[in-house]
Amino acid sequence: MPLFVEVALPVPMRQTFSYQVPDHIVIVPQKGMRVQVPFGRQQLIGLITAITDTCSLTPKQIKPVISILDESPLLPDSLYKLTAWAARYYFCSLGQMLSQAIPVALRKGAESKAAQVFYWSLTQDGRAADINQLNRAPAQRKLFSALAERDLEQHEITTMELSKTALKALDDKGWISKKSRVGTINLSWRTELEMTEEPHRLNPEQAIAVATLTQHKNYHCTLLEGVTGSGKTEVYLALLETILKQGKQALVLVPEIGLTPQTINRFRRRFNVKVAVIHSGLTDNQRLDAWRNAKTGEAAIIIGTRSALFTPMAYPGVIILDEEHDSSFKQQEGVGYHARDLAVMRGHLEDIPVLLGTATPSLETLQNALSGRYQHLHLGQRAGVAEKVRQGIVDIRNQPLRSGMSHALLNEMRIHLDAGNQVILFLNRRGFAPALICHECGHLHECDRCDAFFTVHQALGEIRCHHCSNQYAIPKQCHQCGSTMLAGQGVGTEQLASFLEKEFPNHPVVRIDRDTTSRKGSLEAHLNSIHKGEYKILVGTQMLAKGHHFPDVTLVGLLDVDGALFSADFRAPERFGQLYTQVSGRAGRATKPGTVLMQTHQSDNAMLRELMHKGYGEFARNQLHERKQALLPPAWHMILIRAEAHLAADADMLLTQIGALLPQNDDCEVIGPMPAPLDRKAGKYRRQLLFQTKNRNQLQQAFEHALPQIELLPLAKKCRWSLDRDPQDLL
Ligand code: ADP
Ligand code: ZN
Ligand code: ZN
């Protein structure tokens, strides 16, 4: 009886493909095995998703599988379910989602089992043979006598630099044979866990958290909200001790920038177990090795960045996400999955607990904790001793600024630098789409149709409301005081850094942003130099704040508070609140108290005051309330459709047509098309459309219904377009 398989391939088509399994393939196909198949003129590697004995294609249309690459399924069933769920949720093909979940080496066809070691040894005949028979064949003689000493691995023989014919000649005589063995798997940690460091005595809050967390063995999700330095990592370690003692593994996910040797070492120091580290800096083979160690259970702890989420575990025990609010958990390129949301789903599917830790919870997670869907634990005291920081606002209304810096901030910098300390200056990503604010009186220009600020599109010569699409030409004068000093484009990190180099020639400046850290290892190198004190002035974007403690930094300046608070991106205030809280929590140390200064045109702004005086917790709860009022996530659900084209009209038209395919009523809203806040890039016009719904299911259904029709639109083939569900970044 002919046998057919359905195969998910790494192509954008949202479907699987049928192939026939030819008789000469002896491996019995199973769901989840890799196969190599013809696809057009190429050969692709895909995963079997189903096995059938009938097929709707005609015998002429159906092509045969070239080979089956695995002897057993590659991933546990839970991870297939996870990828299938994710493919549906993020509206991509199963093949595309599976390629996110599988290490590159396996996608290219590498062996999934631990590499076999090949070696040569003497056969019985060989051992009985007389070496003098080889006197006239010195190469064979040399090899024979070496093998008489001990077995030799293939690569050891290669280094002896003998001709291949010598090996073959001995093999033909039947004197030697090739054998293989697999590296053995060491699972001793599961029965006797060896601790290599004495844990801290937990403080009462930590002890309560650990006791609560260790009660559950099944799925439940917990938010651990603890101020910076309150000992969250210590709680993770105590929880791990319990989990590992039960013979189960732990998956720890950290932000991209957070996976420093210090972090990894804290886990290595405590337990004598194998730790698999997985991040984007590994070679394909290192990554595959780590993946195998996790899959076999040899690695008790798996620690990694976003994509490590898909690492299989033989004995799943817990998933921990540190700094759960961090935006690097959302993939921006290609399939835009969110590792935090998928981690919670994985916890469900594997029926294990999930722990989300942070000092500054994302509004999504906070809402789930406040509504009771997640358990909510707090750590309020600092574990170590630390002085509270001094915080202040610099009102820059009508003040002369030099490269974005006020006199007040420059003077304060001098004091800290003269005392031998370091200074950090933060800027947002700039150069596009700021709010329209009057430098003289601080007036913010608001949309006259709704409760949102206008965004300046310098290139288009217009201001736009990104909430309702309302637009005007950029005004020449302030609507409140008539001043012509309307702040448009801001300063970039590059300009600021070169200004500071001239202003403070004796204090070396370093710039940390996407441009200066794109090369592998360059971020680590920069951070190391900062720790050694080689730089005194640190200029950076949000990136610099994540999970780092620079004990000699005593002054933190936030230059462009307005750009963050009044941005077109509705998440910007939340991000700013997180940045502010994270840097305030880390500035200075017991002996050197820190100062945090914010420059703004809006010194009386209620949001800002609240953040300073009541802290992130209050601020975030109010933000949550405002999002509900404005029908924004996490209250409502959102998908962003981006289009770019050489002709703006093409992108606009495509999005208009897509908009027409989507429902609009009390529960579903279409906004746009409108220019993306970054409206031109690499000569292409960028446009976007937002589709928002009151509940998650409405979005799923409406979009699943519209998608096949969208794909048939002629313009959909002409323009580049992409989907971003739960967008984290509207730019
Ligand atoms: P967080 O992860 O919340 O920022 P950490 O776990 O890194 O906090 O703890 C901050 C510092 O306090 C670390 O140096 C840690 O070793 C120390 N620490 C944590 N818990 C305790 C404790 N119970 N007793 C003493 N020191 C502690
Ligand atoms: Zn004004
Ligand atoms: Zn508006």
Side-chain angles (χ1 to χ4, degrees):
M1 190 166 55
L3 193 59
F4 303 96
V5 287
E6 286 295 306
V7 179
L9 292 172
V11 293
M13 285 83 105
R14 293 171 177 84
Q15 62 172 101
T16 54
F17 299 86
S18 307
Y19 290 90
Q20 191 200 339
V21 184
D23 288 338
H24 67 260
I25 292 185
V26 288
I27 300 173
V28 180
Q30 285 179 45
K31 204 175 138 184
M33 290 178 174
R34 284 172 302 160
V35 287
Q36 191 170 29
V37 294
F39 188 80
R41 261 180 250 159
Q42 339 164 41
Q43 293 188 355
L44 294 180
I45 292 176
L47 281 180
I48 300 175
T49 60
I51 298 111
T52 54
D53 45 23
T54 57
C55 177
S56 57
L57 297 174
T58 65
K60 264 194 181 155
Q61 288 171 311
I62 191 136
K63 295 195 179 133
V65 165
I66 298 166
S67 61
I68 297 184
L69 303 182
D70 297 303
E71 282 163 18
S72 59
L74 211 52
L75 300 174
D77 201 43
S78 56
L79 289 185
Y80 289 113
K81 288 195 176 124
L82 183 69
T83 44
W85 184 88
R88 193 172 163 226
Y89 186 81
Y90 293 108
F91 303 107
C92 66
S93 78
L94 184 57
Q96 280 175 315
M97 201 66 223
L98 280 165
S99 8
Q100 302 290 325
I102 292 171
V104 175
L106 292 177
R107 270 182 261 156
K108 289 184 183 158
E111 177 63 51
S112 65
K113 287 190 301 200
Q116 290 194 332
V117 183
F118 291 102
Y119 64 98
W120 290 87
S121 66
L122 295 187
T123 58
Q124 222 153 19
D125 284 356
R127 256 175 264 130
D130 177 6
I131 191 167
N132 291 322
Q133 286 183 275
L134 299 174
N135 281 349
R136 286 207 251 151
Q140 287 183 48
R141 193 188 154 99
K142 189 173 168 198
L143 181 57
F144 184 85
S145 56
L147 284 170
E149 298 270 320
R150 63 180 178 91
D151 295 345
L152 291 176
E153 288 180 19
Q154 185 74 52
H155 68 95
E156 293 176 302
I157 293 179
T158 313
T159 56
M160 290 171 74
E161 293 183 345
L162 301 167
S163 74
K164 275 207 188 102
T165 39
L167 191 70
K168 185 163 183 306
L170 288 179
D171 194 16
D172 287 346
K173 289 191 177 84
W175 289 7
I176 62 173
S177 68
K178 190 178 179 178
K179 295 179 182 161
S180 71
R181 64 166 174 262
V182 188
T184 49
I185 298 167
N186 180 356
L187 295 175
S188 59
W189 66 269
R190 299 195 64 217
T191 40
E192 43 199 315
L193 180 69
E194 195 189 326
M195 306 277 293
T196 39
E197 178 193 63
E198 190 62 28
H200 284 291
R201 235 186 105 89
L202 298 180
N203 68 31
E205 279 184 328
Q206 287 173 319
I208 290 170
V210 173
T212 317
L213 287 166
T214 49
Q215 268 171 13
H216 309 263
K217 285 205 175 111
N218 302 88
Y219 168 77
H220 76 288
C221 186
T222 305
L223 165 62
L224 178 64
E225 186 176 359
V227 298
T228 308
S230 59
K232 292 183 293 296
T233 312
E234 209 53 43
V235 171
Y236 305 156
L237 288 165
L239 173 62
L240 282 196
E241 189 183 331
T242 306
I243 299 281
L244 300 185
K245 277 185 176 151
Q246 292 165 359
K248 294 189 200 155
Q249 293 164 282
L251 173 61
V252 182
L253 299 180
V254 298
E256 241 147 48
I257 190 171
L259 194 54
T260 57
Q262 292 95 304
T263 315
I264 301 166
N265 284 340
R266 274 184 85 173
F267 290 87
R268 286 218 166 107
R269 265 204 315 268
R270 180 76 45 104
F271 312 103
N272 183 21
V273 298
K274 191 172 239 169
V275 178
V277 181
I278 296 185
H279 58 87
S280 55
L282 300 181
T283 65
D284 291 353
N285 280 331
Q286 289 169 329
R287 213 183 155 96
L288 179 58
D289 243 13
W291 184 90
R292 281 191 191 119
N293 286 333
K295 186 182 167 172
T296 57
E298 185 150 10
I301 302 172
I302 299 104
I303 168 164
T305 49
R306 180 178 66 228
S307 65
L309 162 76
F310 296 103
T311 314
M313 292 188 273
Y315 315 101
V318 70
I319 304 175
I320 298 172
L321 241 102
D322 190 30
E323 310 284 353
E324 70 79 32
H325 64 279
D326 194 281
S327 55
S328 73
F329 285 121
K330 176 86 167 20
Q331 176 149 293
Q332 298 291 357
E333 305 286 312
V335 182
Y337 69 87
H338 202 307
R340 177 195 60 222
D341 299 344
L342 290 186
V344 174
M345 182 47 78
R346 178 171 177 176
H348 259 298
L349 292 168
E350 295 190 329
D351 199 20
I352 55 172
V354 178
L355 176 59
L356 309 176
T358 178
T360 52
S362 65
L363 297 189
E364 280 76 10
T365 299
L366 186 65
Q367 174 172 275
N368 281 323
L370 294 177
S371 75
R373 280 188 62 182
Y374 296 173
Q375 177 168 258
H376 198 172
L377 296 171
H378 295 269
L379 300 178
Q381 312 156 0
R382 286 224 183 181
V385 248
E387 209 49 33
K388 205 166 163 46
V389 293
R390 265 176 62 212
Q391 10 180 33
I393 283 186
V394 180
D395 187 344
I396 53 171
R397 249 177 308 185
N398 220 5
Q399 296 292 311
L401 298 179
R402 294 166 68 207
S403 290
M405 298 278 300
S406 61
H407 275 315
L409 186 53
L410 282 168
N411 286 342
E412 187 79 18
M413 267 182 83
R414 243 174 224 111
I415 296 170
H416 287 261
L417 291 170
D418 288 347
N421 296 323
Q422 289 173 318
V423 172
I424 298 189
L425 298 173
F426 283 105
L427 266 181
N428 293 301
R429 276 183 300 156
R430 285 301 299 261
F432 52 85
L436 187 65
I437 196 160
C438 171
H439 183 58
E440 220 164 312
C441 77
H443 179 66
L444 262 171
H445 291 67
E446 267 182 74
C447 177
D448 45 354
R449 282 205 231 144
C450 53
D451 245 358
F453 304 111
F454 278 119
T455 294
V456 184
H457 286 267
Q458 210 69 259
L460 301 172
E462 62 181 35
I463 50 172
R464 278 252 182 189
C465 167
H466 277 254
H467 205 67
C468 72
S469 256
N470 192 6
Q471 78 197 70
Y472 297 101
I474 298 178
K476 302 235 171 346
Q477 291 188 309
C478 171
H479 287 179
Q480 181 163 290
C481 75
S483 161
T484 52
M485 285 167 61
L486 293 175
Q489 244 39 358
V491 184
T493 45
E494 202 174 347
Q495 188 193 336
L496 177 61
S498 65
F499 164 74
L500 292 168
E501 272 164 10
K502 286 184 211 108
E503 191 72 14
F504 299 99
N506 301 324
H507 300 290
V509 179
V510 65
R511 175 160 71 98
I512 306 270
D513 57 26
R514 219 162 270 185
D515 295 339
T516 62
T517 56
S518 53
R519 230 170 10 92
K520 248 185 213 174
S522 56
L523 176 65
E524 290 71 20
H526 280 315
L527 294 177
N528 258 329
S529 310
I530 296 173
H531 275 289
K532 284 192 213 140
E534 287 168 21
Y535 296 108
K536 292 297 173 189
I537 303 173
L538 290 40
V539 173
T541 51
Q542 201 123 350
M543 216 179 170
L544 190 51
K546 291 178 184 171
H548 286 284
H549 188 54
F550 304 113
D552 288 328
V553 169
T554 53
L555 175 64
V556 178
L558 298 148
L559 266 64
D560 176 40
V561 175
D562 301 335
L565 286 184
F566 314 117
S567 151
D569 191 336
F570 69 90
R571 285 184 209 275
E574 173 189 352
R575 293 266 160 71
F576 177 76
Q578 290 162 347
L579 169 72
Y580 177 75
T581 311
Q582 299 274 350
V583 298
S584 312
R586 289 176 219 276
R589 55 180 169 188
T591 48
K592 288 183 179 179
T595 301
V596 181
L597 291 181
M598 294 188 272
Q599 291 192 156
T600 176
H601 288 98
Q602 291 261 324
S603 54
D604 296 325
N605 182 272
M607 251 194 297
L608 215 51
R609 294 275 159 192
E610 185 172 58
L611 185 59
M612 269 176 74
H613 300 304
K614 299 198 179 137
Y616 182 82
E618 255 334 82
F619 168 84
R621 279 162 181 78
N622 271 320
Q623 283 287 312
L624 202 51
H625 182 70
E626 280 186 21
R627 296 263 191 97
K628 267 185 202 142
Q629 300 278 304
L631 312 185
L632 286 168
W636 276 47
H637 300 270
M638 189 182 268
I639 184 163
L640 180 68
I641 305 127
R642 295 189 174 93
E644 54 178 67
H646 286 293
L647 292 176
D650 282 348
D652 269 325
M653 180 54 76
L654 171 64
L655 292 178
T656 305
Q657 291 170 353
I658 293 177
L661 293 169
L662 296 166
Q664 296 201 54
N665 51 49
D666 285 352
D667 294 350
C668 301
E669 196 182 4
V670 174
I671 303 175
M674 62 178 123
L678 178 56
D679 44 50
R680 266 189 90 174
K681 197 176 172 187
K684 286 197 172 173
Y685 290 90
R686 304 169 80 238
R687 296 290 184 268
Q688 62 186 33
L689 185 79
L690 277 172
F691 179 53
Q692 307 190 124
T693 63
K694 193 169 179 179
N695 69 52
R696 218 183 274 281
N697 250 336
Q698 287 165 333
L699 195 149
Q700 189 73 36
Q701 282 171 7
F703 222 81
E704 267 174 18
H705 182 73
L707 202 48
Q709 303 170 61
I710 294 173
E711 282 170 338
L712 291 177
L713 295 172
L715 276 173
K717 297 195 176 64
K718 205 169 160 196
C719 306
R720 271 187 61 168
W721 58 283
S722 60
L723 303 174
D724 188 0
R725 185 157 189 186
D726 306 329
Q728 290 293 306
D729 197 339
L730 294 190
L731 305 178

